[in-house]
Amino acid sequence: DSGVTQTPKHLITATGQRVTLRCSPRSGDLSVYWYQQSLDQGLQFLIQYYNGEERAKGNILERFSAQQFPDLHSELNLSSLELGDSALYFCASTRLNTGELFFGEGSRLTVL
Amino acid sequence: GQQLNQSPQSMFIQEGEDVSMNCTSSSIFNTWLWYKQDPGEGPVLLIALYKAGELTSNGRLTAQFGITRKDSFLNISASIPSDVGIYFCAGLYYGGSQGNLIFGKGTKLSVKP
């Protein structure tokens, strides 16, 4: 157990819909990262937050947005969903800026 | 921007064999890390390397931070079925006021009992 909690674990929705994925970081971790992993693909970096502020942005689509709240949990919002958005979405947190990330178990999104 | 070239992309080996995979880049990194992702799980950190030339072991796993700071390798000795999964290298470099983490595309390991 990494200490990072992601909900929901599985989500099935239709094209055009909007979903919100939630992440609770490890206790004490200020930094949260979001990654997308499509079938048999690597980890695509989406966005990073540190103590409520956006710190870095990767290949995140304009239809996607995220935020980190004062209690440090984070949400990833995916809108106008397309079939190609079907993927595993991982959240990771860290206390130090050393690259040592702790990943959640992921949220598997299926868009039909 | 920085990129990591991880190879091989996949490996099919017999139980008991040794495994070697590596990551290279044209850029310098301050830290190299190796993660393993079990099927259906999130990646888990295996080894972190902080100094050029550093050689670190974690059980049957051994990883090295290349002298040029542009590469790293991971060896697994005497593989067992539970070694199955995807292994990711990651490199951390500092740009501006913060660290930036880059992941390789992964090496998918299959072990035949």
Side-chain angles (χ1 to χ4, degrees):
Chain A
D1 182 5
S2 67
V4 177
T5 304
Q6 288 188 248
T7 56
K9 285 191 171 21
H10 301 276
L11 191 55
I12 301 174
T13 189
T15 54
Q17 295 298 304
R18 171 190 167 97
V19 298
T20 296
L21 309 180
R22 183 188 167 101
C23 169
S24 294
R26 285 190 323 157
S27 176
D29 285 359
L30 299 179
S31 197
V32 168
Y33 296 70
W34 285 98
Y35 289 88
Q36 180 193 55
Q37 186 178 39
S38 301
L39 190 62
D40 286 340
Q41 296 293 311
L43 296 163
Q44 299 296 320
F45 170 62
L46 295 178
I47 199 163
Q48 178 202 356
Y49 280 84
Y50 179 81
N51 203 19
E53 293 190 4
E54 183 183 303
R55 182 59 71 93
K57 223 170 187 176
N59 297 323
I60 187 167
L61 299 172
E62 285 191 12
R63 300 183 285 109
F64 296 1
S65 65
Q67 55 183 328
Q68 187 179 26
F69 295 85
D71 67 352
L72 301 177
H73 91 271
S74 179
E75 292 181 356
L76 179 66
N77 301 297
L78 315 175
S79 62
S80 302
L81 286 168
E82 302 175 359
L83 295 178
D85 297 329
S86 295
L88 262 172
Y89 291 85
F90 286 105
C91 165
S93 74
T94 185
R95 187 166 303 147
L96 305 171
N97 196 17
T98 60
E100 297 183 20
L101 302 185
F102 293 84
F103 284 82
E105 294 187 346
S107 292
R108 182 174 293 281
L109 173 66
T110 302
V111 182
L112 300 176
Chain B
Q2 274 80 352
Q3 273 192 318
L4 296 184
N5 301 308
Q6 185 171 353
S7 65
Q9 195 172 355
S10 61
M11 301 182 76
F12 296 86
I13 63 168
Q14 198 80 27
E15 183 177 358
E17 289 183 0
D18 295 344
V19 172
S20 186
M21 59 190 78
N22 67 78
C23 247
T24 62
S25 175
S26 58
S27 305
I28 287 173
F29 288 89
N30 300 94
T31 301
W32 283 96
L33 307 108
W34 286 92
Y35 287 83
K36 182 195 177 194
Q37 183 180 21
D38 287 330
E41 305 281 332
V44 173
L45 180 65
L46 297 173
I47 291 179
L49 303 152
Y50 301 103
K51 293 181 185 177
E54 180 180 353
L55 185 72
T56 296
S57 293
N58 178 4
R60 294 178 296 106
L61 277 60
T62 302
Q64 184 158 30
F65 191 143
I67 286 290
T68 65
R69 295 169 62 193
K70 294 181 180 180
D71 60 348
S72 176
F73 72 74
L74 175 70
N75 287 342
I76 305 173
S77 62
S79 58
I80 58 179
S82 63
D83 291 334
V84 163
I86 303 176
Y87 292 79
F88 291 101
C89 65
L92 180 77
Y93 70 95
Y94 291 100
S97 61
Q98 64 164 16
N100 301 280
L101 188 65
I102 308 292
F103 277 89
K105 293 189 184 306
T107 295
K108 189 172 184 178
L109 179 64
S110 300
V111 179
K112 188 176 179 182

